[in-house]
Amino acid sequence: MKQTQDSEGLIERYLLGELSAAERAALENEYLVDKAKYDQVCRLEDDILDRYARGALSPVNRERVERQYLTNPWRRRHLEFAKAFTQVIDEEPTARSAAKRSTVASLR
């Protein structure tokens, strides 16, 4: 469990641009040959972007995400997708609830 937490912490620091060039290269070499590690990087990236989109990151980490993602066109699109997706997901229960109320009212 501790190793998983350490690994996730390292990946999060990688995604936030906090690793040295040597640490970054070592992690990239690892996840390029290990699908499980690559999947872990993708999962943690999605989690960070979700937290960013929901305003759940600390101001420091929010700034780090912006520095890492807004300066790179591909990453910027990934961040914009995460924000749009989160908005749709967060609005879905409200829309469903409104539709249900409307249906119930029309049945009366």
Side-chain angles (χ1 to χ4, degrees):
M1 179 73 168
K2 174 114 172 85
Q3 184 178 8
T4 300
Q5 289 174 336
D6 291 345
S7 177
E8 289 182 358
L10 180 72
I11 293 168
E12 187 165 319
R13 289 180 42 233
Y14 166 76
L15 294 167
L16 295 174
E18 299 176 14
L19 297 184
S20 69
E23 290 171 313
R24 202 171 47 246
L27 180 60
E28 288 168 352
N29 286 334
E30 186 177 349
Y31 77 66
L32 288 174
V33 297
D34 181 348
K35 180 166 177 6
K37 179 64 76 171
Y38 177 78
D39 291 343
Q40 184 181 26
V41 170
C42 291
R43 181 179 51 78
L44 290 170
E45 181 180 36
D46 288 344
D47 180 60
I48 287 171
L49 295 181
D50 182 71
R51 287 185 287 148
Y52 175 88
R54 295 175 191 278
L57 288 178
S58 70
V60 170
N61 283 343
R62 186 169 187 80
E63 182 180 318
R64 288 177 177 145
V65 166
E66 290 169 351
R67 186 175 57 241
Q68 290 299 109
Y69 284 79
L70 296 179
T71 58
N72 176 299
W74 184 88
R75 282 183 151 189
R76 184 181 318 112
R77 284 191 302 274
H78 197 163
L79 181 61
E80 289 168 357
F81 175 83
K83 290 190 316 189
F85 185 73
T86 300
Q87 183 179 2
V88 168
I89 294 300
D90 289 350
E91 289 176 355
E92 181 65 25
T94 304
R96 217 174 334 169
S97 178
K100 185 186 266 184
R101 283 192 305 271
S102 175
T103 302
V104 169
S106 69
L107 294 174
R108 288 183 183 168

